[in-house]
Each structure stands twice: as C-alpha cells, then as structure tokens.
Amino acid sequence: MAKAEAGTAAGAGVEAAAGPGAEAGGRAGQLKSSGLRHGWTTGACATAATKAAYTALLTGEFPDPVSITLPKGQQPAFALAAEHLATNDLAVNDLAVNDPATSGPAANDLTAEDLTTRDRTAGPSGRASAMAAVVKDAGDDPDVTHGALIRSTVRAGEPGTGVVFRAGPGVGTVTKAGLPLPVGEPAINPVPRQMIRDAVAEVAAAHGCSGDVVVEISVDHGEEIARSTWNPRLGILGGLSILGTTGIVVPYSCSAWIDSIRRGVDVARAAGRTHVAGCTGSTSEKVAVAVHGLPEDALLDMGDFAGAVLKYLKRHPVPRLTIAGGFAKLSKLAAGHLDLHSARSQVDKGYLAELARLGGADGALAEAVAAANTGLEAVQLCRAAGVPLGDLVAAAARATALGVLVGSPVAVDVICIDRAGTIVGRAEPLGP
C-alpha cells in the first residue's frame, strides 16, 4: 500500500467499528454524527512506531504501513515518516524519509557511537537498534501535538526483563507524586505501555523471540511543545506525555459535539430508555456500563460538556441520569463549572481542602490537599486518612447537576473514578 493510502485504511477501520451511523447511539454514533474527523493518540503512534522498529530489528525490514490493534479491537494502519537501522559493523541501512538526522549530508556527521552498540544487547545479525517514526494526526481536534513526529527506538534488552521503557528527547519524566506513574518513570501512560507491550509480544511470537527489549520513545520538539501543556505544572519535565486510553482522539468542536450530545439524547428517548449516562471518556463509560448494565444507545459521550448534557436533558428529560467521570473533572463540576475543559476550568485545590474539612480532615490534611500536585493525589491522601473526599465531590457534583435540572423530572447519581477506572467516589440517585 502506498504511504498516501495508509490514512484511508486507518480511517476505514474506525468507521467500521463505529457502526452504521448516528442511529446506533453511544460514543461511536456521536463521533460519526458530529461530522468531525477522528485522530490518533500519541500512544497509538508510539505503538505503531515500536511495532515497525522491533520488526526491523528482527528482520531487517520495516513494515510500511504498519498495523496495530487498539484496545477496542480496531486495526488502523500507519505510514512511517522515518526509518533507521543501525548495525554493529557500521553497515548502516539508512532508510529515513524526510529525516535530516539520518539522511542526506547530515548523515556523514554521525559517529560510531551514534550508530552502533557493541555489546550483548545487539539484535539478530548484528543489528544494534532500529528506529521508526510516525507523524501524529489529531484529526479535527485542536491538539497541540498534531503533526508531531513520534519516534520509537528499539534495542535488545537483558534476558527476562520484558519491555523496558525509556524517555528519549521530547518525552517527559515524572518528578511529582499524584500521577498514574511512579516518580522517575518516563511519562508513558499505563494504557500506551500495555499497547506497546502487546505489539512487542505479537512481533516476538511471530519470529520466535523473547520480546526482551528496551523501547525509547521520543518526540521531535517535544520539550518545546510541552510548554503549551500542563506538564510543567504537573511535574512532568523534559517533554510531552505519551497518552491515550482507546488510541483514538475524539475531536471536540464545541458546536458539533454539543449537537451530537443532543442527538444522543434524542436516540435514547426514541428507544424508550429511562436511564442514560453522561461520561467524560471511554474509561468512565466502561464503569457506567459495568455498574448499571446500560445499553450502548443509553451512553452519552459528554466529554467536557457537562452543561450541554444537563441543559438539553432539562428540556428533553429522561427519568435518570448517571454522570460518570474522572475525579479531577468532576471536582470542577462540583465547584460549579459546566465546561470541564482544562483551558476553561481548573481543579480548585482550595475547594477540595474545604470539602475535606467538611468530611473530617484535620488542619494538616486540609493543607496537604490544598498543596497536592493533582486531584488524584488529593483523593489518595484523603482515602489514606479515612476522609471520603471522593464521595463528597460526587455529592457536590450531583448538587450542581440538580441545580441546572431544577424543575425537570430527572434524578441524578454520580460516579467518580481514577485513571485506572477504580471508583473513588459515589453519590446515590437524588431528584424528583
């Protein structure tokens, strides 16, 4: 397949997974009805680059395009933007495409140290490392990482070590607590790590290898791009995070996505649903389904637009609404914000500290909550002290929702989760 065709193949894979149209309801139906083009997460791009690089390390050939399997089973294909194979004897197979670091006159400046690794970590047939890169396409989402070049360099690792992750140039390192990764780890989030491990295992099984590798992910100009994100404030230093829970970037044009929310409510009502769930993302959607057993056409991909869900349901009521989402986002709803996007509302640690006091926190704990690096760290501190901050946030979020819905026959319950999908707070149904 030509490089120009790879994006088409990838898009077709997700269209097939999305179903026949908006009538299907749920997250996939909303995406299709919005008319917006989906994109790919940095995690999906890093996985594709890793699979191509590891294949080349074992075989000497880069698959292009390279297909991967996303967490929900879709199988998009990605064209490679750059390829590089380094060998121990300096017989370098330089296959870079539009990559000044490894092609053209600049290649003459590379040293033996740049191109070889003369130790036991060398791959088959003397190949020391393989690098493949994919350009991130964020679709119609206004993502600062759109167009970034995501590289993966793969080397053989020590026997029995599995996949070891390294942060290359442009990928951050965790320096503060409260994130889903330990301090000192590369900022490659848990789901992308698992996607990469799965891709490595697939290639290793196909070639009878162990899958013991070192995977270094880097992002060209990532440190510069990261200055436009929350990473520096969160203590992720040196670059971007490799993110994603589904592999797919859902585009959030306000007008188009709000319209898709409304269509989702219409579909649920037409199907006779008496209980719908507004979810901030795919993880909270899974939790809502697990807790309440809701069908797909009862699921509203609320995203950051809590206000859009509540205001439309006030005019077009369904008897019961579950709001499910990450603790940090729902703490914003608890504080009275109806737009949960990070550019338009922030987690108020002082407000969380006041809630913690109401829940029995002493002065020292309240101060620790106010100084927490993230909302997740705040809830962890309170949980360790037996203070139900998650439940308090859920109850306050429910109160905000009921304030918008006043006069409408809609009962509301709230589920707060952490990044792993563990429930950290609940508020039972309340309303007419």
Side-chain angles (χ1 to χ4, degrees):
M1 181 184 293
K3 290 182 186 298
E5 296 174 332
T8 301
V14 173
E15 285 297 314
E23 296 78 11
R27 184 179 178 88
Q30 274 185 247
L31 175 56
K32 191 166 184 180
S33 71
S34 72
L36 299 173
R37 188 171 65 89
H38 66 266
W40 308 110
T41 63
T42 47
C45 296
T47 300
T50 299
K51 183 175 179 181
Y54 187 35
T55 300
L57 185 69
L58 298 181
T59 69
E61 299 291 333
F62 289 88
D64 188 8
V66 57
S67 297
I68 63 170
T69 301
L70 301 180
K72 290 190 175 181
Q74 303 100 320
Q75 294 185 311
F78 295 79
L80 300 185
E83 309 162 357
H84 181 75
L85 192 61
T87 63
N88 277 341
D89 59 5
L90 295 184
V92 178
N93 178 15
D94 190 343
L95 302 172
V97 180
N98 298 322
D99 184 0
T102 54
S103 63
N108 296 326
D109 298 328
L110 296 174
T111 67
E113 183 178 0
D114 295 325
L115 297 176
T116 67
T117 303
R118 297 179 182 275
D119 61 21
R120 62 182 177 277
T121 65
S125 303
R127 289 183 284 273
S129 67
M131 184 282 296
V134 170
V135 174
K136 177 178 172 176
D137 178 1
D140 288 331
D141 192 66
D143 190 325
V144 295
T145 61
H146 177 69
L149 191 66
I150 315 293
R151 299 176 185 262
S152 177
T153 301
V154 180
R155 301 175 177 85
E158 296 287 349
T161 56
V163 178
V164 176
F165 293 95
R166 297 281 183 264
V171 169
T173 298
V174 176
T175 68
K176 292 184 179 181
L179 296 166
L181 297 166
V183 170
E185 278 292 305
I188 304 169
N189 267 20
V191 172
R193 287 182 182 231
Q194 190 58 50
M195 290 169 62
I196 290 170
R197 289 190 191 100
D198 291 345
V200 166
E202 178 187 344
V203 174
H207 298 283
C209 295
S210 66
D212 296 320
V213 292
V214 177
V215 175
E216 179 182 289
I217 306 298
S218 58
V219 181
D220 287 19
H221 311 294
E223 187 167 9
E224 178 183 345
I225 297 169
R227 297 190 188 108
S228 300
T229 74
W230 283 86
N231 274 17
R233 184 175 296 185
L234 294 174
I236 299 172
L237 303 183
L240 293 163
S241 299
I242 303 301
L243 302 171
T245 56
T246 65
I248 299 171
V249 173
V250 178
Y252 286 104
S253 158
C254 290
S255 59
W257 202 255
I258 288 171
D259 184 67
S260 74
I261 288 171
R262 293 168 177 166
R263 300 294 77 77
V265 172
D266 293 343
V267 168
R269 283 165 52 89
R273 303 301 177 197
T274 59
H275 185 179
V276 297
C279 307
T280 59
S282 62
T283 303
S284 56
E285 185 177 280
K286 288 179 183 177
V287 172
V289 170
V291 171
H292 293 302
L294 296 172
E296 184 179 28
D297 61 7
L299 303 174
L300 308 174
D301 191 6
M302 179 175 72
D304 294 318
F305 303 115
V309 169
L310 295 168
K311 291 172 185 177
Y312 196 71
L313 280 173
K314 181 174 183 176
R315 300 193 304 272
H316 307 273
V318 173
R320 172 124 174 238
L321 167 66
T322 294
I323 297 174
F327 173 83
K329 281 192 182 293
L330 294 192
S331 75
K332 300 178 189 180
L333 181 61
H337 298 287
L338 299 181
D339 185 339
L340 310 182
H341 193 280
S342 60
R344 294 179 286 276
S345 61
Q346 316 302 328
V347 176
D348 185 341
K349 311 297 180 33
Y351 172 70
L352 292 180
E354 287 305 311
L355 282 182
R357 286 183 188 274
L358 292 174
D362 59 20
L365 178 57
E367 288 180 9
V369 168
N373 184 38
T374 63
L376 177 61
E377 183 182 7
V379 79
Q380 289 172 338
L381 289 169
C382 286
R383 184 162 47 185
V387 175
L389 182 60
D391 292 340
L392 293 166
V393 163
R398 181 184 61 190
T400 298
L402 289 171
V404 176
L405 291 164
V406 64
S408 188
V410 181
V412 178
D413 69 285
V414 175
I415 302 173
C416 297
I417 63 170
D418 64 14
R419 290 176 180 267
T422 301
I423 295 174
V424 297
R426 290 189 71 171
E428 294 302 317
L430 185 64

